[in-house]
Amino acid sequence: MRAVLQRVTRATCTVEGRVTGETGPGFLVLLGVAPDDTPETARTLAAKIARLRVFGDESGKMNRSVLDIGGAVLSISQFTLYADTRCGNRPSFTGAAPPEQARALYAEFNSALRAHGLPVGEGVFGAHMLLDLTNDGPVTLTLDTENN
C-alpha cells in the first residue's frame, strides 16, 4: 500500500459538481493499493498516518500528529500511484490491485482512520475527481508499507 500525504490547511473533493469530501487542517491522503495488500496492511498504514508527527508544535518543530492538532483527513483512492513508467511513454498500471480488492481495502483504510478518532472525508472510488487544496508548508510525504 502506498500513500502520498499532503499536510493541508484545507482540501475538497468534487465529483460531477458535488462536494463528496473535505477537510480543514490535517491531511489529504492519496491511497494506492497493491495486489498483495491486506486489511492488516490498511490498518497498519492508517495507524502510522494517525501518529505521524509532522505538524508544528509551539516551537515550530514538526512534533505533533494530526490527532494532536484535532485535525482530519480527506482520503482519495489513487491507483495511479502504482504507475510503471520505466518503458515507453504510456504508464502501465499492472502494479495496482484489481478494483474490487482496492475498493474494499480503501474502505478498510478509511474505517481504520476513523477508529483512531479521525474525521475522514472521502472521494468516490473510481470516479473522475477534482481536488482543491492548500498545501501547508508545503509538506508532502510518501509512505510505502514495504518500507514502514
Side-chain angles (χ1 to χ4, degrees):
M1 197 164 275
R2 193 170 284 162
V4 172
L5 281 69
Q6 294 184 318
R7 192 177 76 182
V8 297
T9 57
R10 57 149 209 89
T12 304
C13 177
T14 304
V15 176
E16 297 179 358
R18 181 177 66 88
V19 173
T20 64
E22 58 190 340
T23 187
F27 286 129
L28 168 64
V29 177
L30 305 176
L31 182 74
V33 179
D36 60 346
D37 289 331
T38 65
E40 181 59 30
T41 309
R43 290 188 294 271
T44 299
L45 184 58
K48 175 82 171 186
I49 289 169
R51 294 189 301 257
L52 192 63
R53 298 182 339 186
V54 297
F55 293 88
D57 63 14
E58 51 283 340
S59 300
K61 182 178 179 182
M62 284 188 189
N63 202 25
R64 299 177 75 202
S65 72
V66 67
L67 289 168
D68 294 334
I69 67 158
V73 172
L74 174 58
S75 175
I76 305 295
S77 61
Q78 187 81 29
F79 76 95
T80 59
L81 291 178
Y82 280 98
D84 182 351
T85 59
R86 292 176 290 178
C87 296
N89 294 315
R90 184 169 184 257
S92 168
F93 300 106
T94 58
E100 308 77 38
Q101 176 190 8
R103 181 187 308 269
L105 290 176
Y106 173 62
E108 180 72 28
F109 172 77
N110 292 334
S111 178
L113 287 172
R114 288 183 183 103
H116 284 281
L118 288 168
V120 179
E122 297 182 22
V124 176
F125 187 90
H128 181 91
M129 296 173 269
L130 299 176
L131 301 177
D132 184 40
L133 67 127
T134 302
N135 194 320
D136 179 22
V139 174
T140 303
L141 304 166
T142 302
L143 302 180
D144 195 322
T145 56
E146 296 174 10
N147 298 324
N148 289 323

